[in-house]
Amino acid sequence: MSKLKPADISPELHSDNVLTEFTLQALLGYQIKRAYNHVQNDLSETLAAFDLRVLTFTALVMIKENAGTSQSKLANALQIERPNLVAIIDELENRELIVRERVVHDRRAYSLVVTKTGSQLCVSALNAVKAHEKNMFSCLTAADKKALTKMMLRIRQNNEL
Amino acid sequence: MSKLKPADISPELHSDNVLTEFTLQALLGYQIKRAYNHVQNDLSETLAAFDLRVLTFTALVMIKENAGTSQSKLANALQIERPNLVAIIDELENRELIVRERVVHDRRAYSLVVTKTGSQLCVSALNAVKAHEKNMFSCLTAADKKALTKMMLRIRQNNEL
DNA sequence: TTTATATGTTATACTTCATAATGATTATTA
DNA sequence: TAATAATCATTATGAAGTATAACATATAAA
């Protein structure tokens, strides 16, 4: 059986309006990326209501949970460079959500602590984020989410250590 | 029973060297983000061996699969702005991995097609990416991966339409 | 005491990403 | 048909995110 050849081989535009992506769809990493993009975008919108960017929010959460930490350690935890954390801490301090306190036995470093306002905003924002997650993952069962969490942790541990 | 108070309430540095992230770890989106970061980084390294960035690679794959498409449609599929695609297509063309062919019935648009070299590089890079995925997700069973793919698709469909 | 290292900061550059505007071409519509 | 609008690729440009070098101050190590 001979293969049929296209009758017209002159350059033409691909006729379909939407492209196929069979090759990429076969890649698990691609599926995760596309799904995560939605989560990320919706999270950004959610936090925008509190005038917070994702990174600023995570910084606030981490400072609240790790009261008294330094910018150096925080930058490490957030996986960003120290210089880039300065502006974030500046903003949080200007908005009086945290304070930079001087450390007695180490006058190089600051001790970062959330204020009462900061703590309250943190709670409100966190509630909004939980609602956002409930909505984003409404298509998953509780068992799904549990399994998904375990898989993500496994991937992380598989490549972090 | 009275609660014990810390003996010293003067500002001190958080004593632990590594910060906890209990609050963030309770968020599924955060788990996905952290896991995906590893995948993304390893993918970048994998493609660097072919002198390809992730976006350039996906563009090449999409052009191969959708021979004759236009830059406009491709930008749409890649979810980037048309102006930002120009440099990518320029690079692919300069490396003779694709060609911009003029379209007969529409002299505004180009018809993008992979060259033989481009097709071959695409195959090689794709094999490397498959190996990368096999390695990255070696901690997951086949059933895990299948379930994960389904979940990601569900999230995507839940928020795309 | 000398040297090395850590902290926060500034300055800077590079990359990524988004928008406005333009020339050429095609599609629409009056 | 003529006038208007829309489309395609492109340039220029700016905003935002990210990475590096260098510095002053302070602590730790030799």
Side-chain angles (χ1 to χ4, degrees):
Chain A
M1 289 225 284
S2 65
K3 285 185 183 173
L4 290 177
K5 290 177 187 176
D8 187 356
I9 55 163
S10 67
E12 278 188 13
L13 274 184
H14 189 84
S15 51
D16 300 336
N17 261 334
V18 167
L19 307 191
T20 64
E21 47 180 33
F22 298 121
T23 311
L24 295 177
Q25 271 175 7
L27 301 173
L28 185 44
Y30 181 74
Q31 299 287 1
I32 299 175
K33 181 202 182 87
R34 293 302 287 250
Y36 180 66
N37 277 349
H38 291 290
V39 179
Q40 206 174 20
N41 291 338
D42 194 72
L43 177 63
S44 293
E45 286 176 29
T46 300
L47 290 173
F50 301 88
D51 215 347
L52 289 170
R53 285 176 308 128
V54 178
L55 204 51
T56 317
F57 167 72
T58 52
L60 183 61
V61 170
M62 288 295 279
I63 293 170
K64 182 175 180 183
E65 181 172 322
N66 299 273
T69 193
S70 68
Q71 294 183 201
S72 209
K73 287 177 189 166
L74 182 57
N76 226 43
L78 298 179
Q79 298 188 122
I80 63 174
E81 299 302 317
R82 272 148 314 218
N84 296 330
L85 181 58
V86 176
I88 296 171
I89 299 298
D90 280 349
E91 190 203 325
L92 286 174
E93 194 176 38
N94 289 336
R95 290 173 65 179
E96 300 187 350
L97 301 174
I98 67 163
V99 287
R100 278 192 251 230
E101 292 182 341
R102 271 294 169 199
V103 180
V104 274
H105 58 283
D106 187 342
R107 281 159 48 200
R108 291 171 299 184
Y110 289 116
S111 168
L112 305 176
V113 184
V114 289
T115 64
K116 184 143 196 168
T117 316
S119 181
Q120 285 166 350
L121 182 67
C122 195
V123 170
S124 305
L126 209 47
N127 282 334
V129 171
K130 283 174 189 165
H132 135 84
E133 290 223 329
K134 190 169 184 177
N135 182 46
M136 288 302 292
F137 303 123
S138 62
C139 53
L140 304 182
T141 68
D144 281 340
K145 292 184 219 174
K146 201 169 179 178
L148 182 53
T149 302
K150 271 189 187 170
M151 285 192 250
M152 294 300 111
L153 265 173
R154 242 182 291 155
I155 293 172
R156 214 178 139 181
Q157 286 164 353
N158 195 34
N159 297 94
E160 226 158 58
L161 318 174
Chain B
M1 291 226 284
S2 65
K3 285 184 183 173
L4 291 176
K5 290 177 188 175
D8 187 357
I9 57 166
S10 67
E12 278 187 14
L13 273 185
H14 189 83
S15 51
D16 301 335
N17 262 335
V18 167
L19 306 191
T20 64
E21 48 180 32
F22 298 122
T23 312
L24 296 178
Q25 272 176 5
L27 301 172
L28 186 44
Y30 180 74
Q31 299 287 1
I32 299 175
K33 182 203 182 86
R34 293 302 286 251
Y36 180 65
N37 277 349
H38 291 289
V39 179
Q40 207 174 19
N41 292 337
D42 195 71
L43 177 62
S44 294
E45 285 176 29
T46 301
L47 290 173
F50 300 89
D51 214 348
L52 289 170
R53 284 177 310 128
V54 177
L55 203 52
T56 317
F57 168 71
T58 53
L60 183 62
V61 169
M62 289 295 279
I63 293 170
K64 182 174 180 182
E65 180 171 322
N66 298 274
T69 193
S70 68
Q71 294 183 200
S72 210
K73 287 176 189 167
L74 182 57
N76 226 42
L78 298 179
Q79 296 186 124
I80 63 174
E81 299 303 316
R82 272 146 315 222
N84 296 330
L85 182 58
V86 176
I88 296 171
I89 299 299
D90 281 349
E91 190 203 324
L92 286 173
E93 194 175 39
N94 289 336
R95 290 173 63 180
E96 301 187 348
L97 301 174
I98 68 163
V99 285
R100 280 191 250 230
E101 291 182 341
R102 272 292 170 199
V103 180
V104 271
H105 58 284
D106 189 343
R107 281 158 46 199
R108 292 170 299 183
Y110 290 116
S111 169
L112 305 176
V113 185
V114 290
T115 62
K116 185 143 197 169
T117 315
S119 181
Q120 286 165 349
L121 182 66
C122 195
V123 170
S124 305
L126 209 47
N127 283 335
V129 170
K130 283 174 189 164
H132 135 85
E133 290 223 330
K134 191 168 184 178
N135 182 46
M136 289 302 292
F137 304 123
S138 61
C139 52
L140 304 182
T141 68
D144 282 339
K145 291 185 219 175
K146 200 169 179 178
L148 182 52
T149 302
K150 273 189 184 167
M151 286 192 248
M152 294 300 111
L153 265 173
R154 242 182 290 154
I155 293 172
R156 215 177 139 183
Q157 286 165 354
N158 195 33
N159 298 93
E160 226 158 58
L161 317 175

